[in-house]
Amino acid sequence: MLEEVERWLSTRSWSVADRPLHRLLPAKNATGQTVSVVLPALNEEETVGDIVAVIRRDLVRRVPLVDEIVVVDSGSTDRTSQVAAAAGARVVHRDAILPRLPAVPGKGEVLWRSLLVTGGDIVCFVDADLREFSSDFVSGIVGPLLTEPDVHLVKAMYDRPLGTTAGQGGRVTELMARPLLNMHWPQLAGFVQPLGGEYAARRSLLEQLPFPVGYGVELGMLVDALHLVGLDALAQVDVGVRKHRHQDGQALGRMSAAIYRTAQLRLARGHLVRPSLTQFERSEDGFEPRTYSVDTEERPPMTEIAEYAARRVA
């Protein structure tokens, strides 16, 4: 590990206990910063309501740390929108944001569009499939942005059990993202959960970043933020244990392909020879190929979008 990364681990890796809530509210009031929490959601009716309810209970009513909770529904066919709204979130449909630009499927697309419908100086992203959710996931990663003016992006770190087995979650992280980062961006090798969906950043940073529309958004954001603001402006906070729905091996393969594509574009800004991935499924007639396209589109920095610029002027 680079000496720079060892130093970073000792100065930019914290625990949620390092910044208790009673310290965060005075810091928020002193700086006048506002906080938006965004949950990208697709068919998450089983979990999204509990997450919203916990954030409202702990960080809106008990301690007014969060100014708005926005669920961006990316086309759910279940009751995700109704459950989220009943729990107290403002629900916005992905397709209603920037309608002149047709939406494409993907998590990064939803996160990018959320900048247009939120107002916080600090934007905190939380996946909507978390179980046994704790508001530490929010306060932990927002905290350094309220107390450390030179920190611009904070990732959550945590244990990820796979079923009842501790520490075996995060398979794409260990098999794809961590090797890529260690080999090509060794300054980022200290991030425990580089692909984690829980992170917070200053709007002033997010609006300058391009957003890969799919699963590559987290890796792309880390790499681009490193180049834009430097390693010392990035941090991570230990928030405990993350429990969520796990995907099957083929879905993880498609995720890995998208992440590799994101890394490839940042290494050379070149063109993919073949932007697709073929996987195999067994049927009565043997193994059958299934070919999926690997998303190659990225959304530009939000500062380049006329509607966003007009909103800021207004």
Side-chain angles (χ1 to χ4, degrees):
M1 182 177 290
L2 297 176
E3 183 178 340
E4 178 185 8
V5 176
E6 292 182 354
R7 177 192 55 78
W8 178 85
L9 281 169
S10 66
T11 60
R12 287 292 185 263
S13 292
W14 295 296
S15 165
V16 65
D18 293 333
R19 292 176 180 81
L21 279 175
H22 68 81
R23 281 186 54 199
L24 296 186
L25 191 58
K28 180 177 188 289
N29 293 336
T31 61
Q33 297 178 93
T34 54
V35 178
S36 300
V37 176
V38 173
L39 283 76
L42 177 63
N43 294 329
E44 303 293 357
E45 68 174 350
E46 293 184 4
T47 51
V48 68
D50 290 340
I51 297 172
V52 171
V54 168
I55 296 172
R56 279 185 55 81
R57 181 194 68 202
D58 294 350
L59 303 179
V60 176
R61 293 175 181 155
R62 290 181 181 172
V63 177
L65 189 73
V66 170
D67 297 279
E68 63 175 348
I69 307 170
V70 178
V71 171
V72 182
D73 190 331
S74 57
S76 298
T77 56
D78 65 1
R79 298 183 63 253
T80 290
S81 290
Q82 296 92 316
V83 170
R90 176 162 60 92
V91 179
V92 185
H93 196 282
R94 175 201 62 195
D95 296 345
I97 307 170
L98 200 62
R100 72 166 175 85
L101 195 65
V104 297
K107 178 183 179 183
E109 175 83 352
V110 174
L111 301 183
W112 181 73
R113 289 177 185 259
S114 75
L115 296 181
L116 267 164
V117 293
T118 54
D121 302 302
I122 294 169
V123 182
C124 175
F125 298 119
V126 177
D127 282 349
D129 66 342
L130 302 189
R131 302 180 184 279
E132 300 178 28
F133 178 77
S134 166
S135 59
D136 286 349
F137 275 75
V138 174
S139 60
I141 56 179
V142 167
L145 296 168
L146 294 172
T147 62
E148 310 290 333
D150 53 348
V151 170
H152 291 259
L153 184 148
V154 183
K155 297 278 293 191
M157 56 177 169
Y158 33 66
D159 295 318
R160 292 184 67 182
L162 182 61
T164 58
T165 304
Q168 294 301 307
R171 290 161 288 173
V172 175
T173 292
E174 300 303 330
L175 297 176
M176 175 60 70
R178 201 176 306 286
L180 281 172
L181 293 175
N182 275 264
M183 288 186 289
H184 298 297
W185 296 281
Q187 286 178 296
L188 298 174
F191 277 94
V192 176
Q193 297 292 353
L195 300 185
E198 290 68 48
Y199 48 100
R202 301 190 190 281
R203 178 176 295 272
S204 57
L205 171 64
L206 294 173
E207 65 188 12
Q208 297 182 70
L209 299 177
F211 277 60
V213 299
Y215 285 122
V217 63
E218 275 83 23
L219 183 134
M221 189 176 295
L222 264 187
V223 170
D224 293 341
L226 174 67
H227 288 297
L228 193 62
V229 296
L231 181 60
D232 282 339
L234 313 179
Q236 61 184 349
V237 174
D238 187 349
V239 296
V241 179
R242 182 185 197 267
K243 297 181 180 180
H244 66 117
R245 183 185 66 253
H246 292 280
Q247 302 193 54
D248 62 34
Q250 293 209 336
L252 297 180
R254 296 191 290 274
M255 185 184 299
S256 296
I259 291 166
Y260 179 75
R261 184 275 309 172
T262 300
Q264 182 191 49
L265 291 179
R266 276 152 180 78
L267 284 169
R269 294 294 172 181
H271 300 286
L272 288 177
V273 175
R274 183 172 178 268
S276 60
L277 173 72
T278 298
Q279 298 177 318
F280 294 87
E281 297 179 6
R282 182 183 287 280
S283 69
E284 294 180 357
D285 299 322
F287 286 102
E288 295 186 1
R290 298 283 188 272
T291 299
Y292 302 87
S293 62
V294 176
D295 59 84
T296 58
E297 187 171 358
E298 294 194 5
R299 294 304 191 189
M302 190 57 79
T303 52
E304 298 178 12
I305 301 299
E307 287 89 339
Y308 187 77
R311 191 193 72 161
R312 296 191 70 181
V313 170

